[in-house]
Amino acid sequence: MRKPLAGRSGATAALVYCAAFLVAAAPNLSLSTWLKGFRPAPLTVNLSERVRAVAGALLGILITGVLCRLFAGHGTATWLVAPLGASAVLVFAVPASPLAQPWSVIGGNTLSALVGVVCVRLFDDPAVAGAVAVAAAIAVMFSLRCLHPPGGAVALLTALTHADAFGFVLFPVLTNSALLAFAGILYNTATGRRYPHSQIVERTNAMPGSRFSSEDLDAVLKRYNQVLDVGRDDIENILHMAEMNAMERRLSDLRCQDIMTRTVHTVEYGTDLQDAWALMRTSRVKALPVVDRQRRIIGIISLADFMRHADVDLNYAMRDRLHQLIRRSPTVHTNKPEAVGQIMCTNVRVASADRSVAELMPIFSEHGHHHIPIIDGDNRLVGIVTESDFVRALYRSGGVQQAA
């Protein structure tokens, strides 16, 4: 009776020592913060993805089990190994993981079984054989780049069941793993998941507007120095998408009134072309909104309008053509345009002051507009957003890479 008591006392002492070690190892960590580390993170996958993973695991294990049982016949007791269930979780629930790729599944499980058989032959004590087998299996999987968590379970299972025949490595372990990986390739591909998920990433130039490059990510991952259950290309894509989402969010929070130029030079319908041209030159602007007496937009005149009506040809003197257009005619009756209203563009794209800046992006990028007048609730002109204003907003929101 005393030996079990002594064993319990030793176990209790070991637990006390472990608790003391944890407290000493994290002196700056509060108990509440430490306990929060045990809380599971919320899942970000929807119901359909969960159903897809469950159905895949069901089919994968079923196909593997049925085929292996047929191969084994009635004379073989072991035709399916339990760690294959953990492999199925990786293959069908997280097919993008580096730990779930076919080489990881087949190589990790098979090599771990081989290590387990060798340890069974070297050590008589199952506890020692199991411990050495798991440790050696991890080392081998690291070396051959096939790290697979269920491989540790395969090595331990081999040691605990005293499987000392090398045939156990080929069947059921290798056969189970190969069939499961093949089922994973078929099922994941059929359900729209890339599998195998390439782990060799071709280095490309940074995305336009990105604040980091592939080399920056590689340097951070090297300093992090831990195995991640996410492929490197997925990490980079996620970071870029998060960056774009943040830019769109910040732009959607901005309103036109936040970025517009409030001092706007305007002209009226009857303003002489010569005066409008002089105003554009002195103000260094490329467009002038045309307003009525209540400052409501009736049109816009731009540098392009002057060029078009001057019939400027690159092979002809541009200066002379423009001079003819804007010069006041000495006679009253003339066919030549004299006022702004005769050459202005009446189809004007305007935006309200409280409109989101993000909504201006297609107007600038796809429709070729360079100036967008901003109006208030009474349709009166209160400002203008130019391409320069928009680019400045992108820069401030992080959409344009800032210079170091």
Side-chain angles (χ1 to χ4, degrees):
M1 296 294 293
R2 292 181 179 177
K3 288 184 178 180
L5 288 173
R8 292 194 196 102
S9 300
T12 302
L15 289 175
V16 172
Y17 291 146
C18 289
F21 172 76
L22 289 174
V23 173
N28 297 323
L29 195 64
S30 66
L31 179 61
S32 61
T33 303
W34 183 74
L35 290 175
K36 286 180 181 178
F38 291 93
R39 294 173 57 185
L43 293 177
T44 56
V45 294
N46 57 24
L47 180 60
S48 63
E49 175 60 19
R50 299 182 194 187
V51 172
R52 190 200 68 82
V54 170
L58 171 65
L59 292 174
I61 294 295
L62 181 62
I63 293 171
T64 302
V66 170
L67 291 179
C68 286
R69 188 170 61 183
L70 291 175
F71 295 156
H74 298 289
T76 304
T78 305
W79 42 269
L80 194 65
V81 292
L84 202 69
S87 296
V89 174
L90 290 171
V91 171
F92 297 101
V94 282
S97 168
L99 308 179
Q101 301 313 301
W103 169 236
S104 296
V105 175
I106 299 172
N109 286 339
T110 305
L111 292 171
S112 297
L114 180 61
V115 169
V117 170
V118 172
C119 289
V120 167
R121 295 190 172 205
L122 293 177
F123 305 99
D124 294 329
D125 189 340
V128 175
V132 175
V134 172
I138 294 174
V140 170
M141 288 188 288
F142 261 127
S143 300
L144 297 179
R145 296 188 296 179
C146 57
L147 192 64
H148 187 58
V154 171
L156 184 60
L157 175 69
T158 305
L160 294 180
T161 58
H162 206 72
D164 59 352
F166 287 105
F168 177 77
V169 177
L170 298 177
F171 187 90
V173 177
L174 174 59
T175 309
N176 285 178
S177 302
L179 286 174
L180 184 71
F182 183 68
I185 292 173
L186 294 179
Y187 182 80
N188 284 315
T189 302
T191 55
R193 294 294 179 269
R194 185 156 50 102
Y195 188 82
H197 197 97
S198 178
Q199 304 300 305
I200 306 299
V201 181
E202 296 183 2
R203 300 296 184 265
T204 58
N205 295 328
M207 292 179 62
S210 176
R211 292 172 180 264
F212 69 92
S213 65
S214 295
E215 290 73 18
D216 295 327
L217 179 59
D218 290 336
V220 171
L221 291 176
K222 187 175 182 180
R223 288 201 303 269
Y224 190 71
N225 195 32
Q226 293 186 41
V227 177
L228 296 177
D229 198 13
V230 183
R232 186 208 165 281
D233 60 333
D234 287 325
I235 294 175
E236 185 167 5
N237 289 334
I238 289 171
L239 289 175
H240 283 308
M241 287 189 290
E243 201 173 35
M244 289 298 297
N245 188 75
M247 182 199 72
E248 292 175 0
R249 174 180 52 78
R250 287 193 290 265
L251 277 181
S252 64
D253 292 339
L254 280 177
R255 302 298 163 188
C256 292
Q257 60 190 3
D258 299 324
I259 70 168
M260 69 183 183
T261 300
R262 297 180 180 274
T263 304
V264 187
H265 298 283
T266 62
V267 290
E268 296 182 354
Y269 185 96
T271 303
D272 286 342
L273 292 181
Q274 187 172 8
D275 295 336
W277 178 259
L279 180 59
M280 291 178 65
R281 292 285 303 274
T282 56
S283 304
R284 296 183 179 181
V285 295
K286 297 180 181 179
L288 295 170
V290 184
V291 297
D292 59 16
R293 294 183 179 181
Q294 284 75 38
R295 289 187 65 81
R296 291 188 174 90
I297 298 288
I298 60 174
I300 190 168
I301 184 171
S302 66
L303 181 62
D305 296 317
F306 279 99
M307 296 300 167
R308 182 173 61 255
H309 284 82
D311 195 19
V312 172
D313 189 341
L314 293 179
N315 296 323
Y316 193 81
M318 180 185 299
R319 182 177 178 179
D320 293 339
R321 287 281 191 176
L322 282 173
H323 183 69
Q324 281 184 344
L325 175 68
I326 64 176
R327 185 178 56 186
R328 294 186 179 91
S329 300
T331 60
V332 177
H333 301 287
T334 176
N335 293 327
K336 185 182 75 67
E338 296 289 336
V340 165
Q342 294 176 279
I343 70 170
M344 69 179 185
C345 178
T346 57
N347 185 19
V348 187
R349 291 294 299 266
V350 298
S352 59
D354 58 353
R355 188 174 182 179
S356 170
V357 171
E359 297 179 29
L360 301 184
M361 185 174 294
I363 299 177
F364 281 118
S365 61
E366 298 174 11
H367 301 294
H369 290 273
H370 305 286
H371 307 80
I372 302 177
I374 307 301
I375 58 176
D376 60 13
D378 296 325
N379 294 327
R380 289 185 173 87
L381 181 70
V382 292
I384 191 168
V385 174
T386 65
E387 284 183 317
S388 299
D389 296 324
F390 188 73
V391 170
R392 191 179 302 111
L394 283 177
Y395 178 83
R396 291 173 178 173
S397 67
V400 177
Q401 186 175 5
Q402 297 186 16

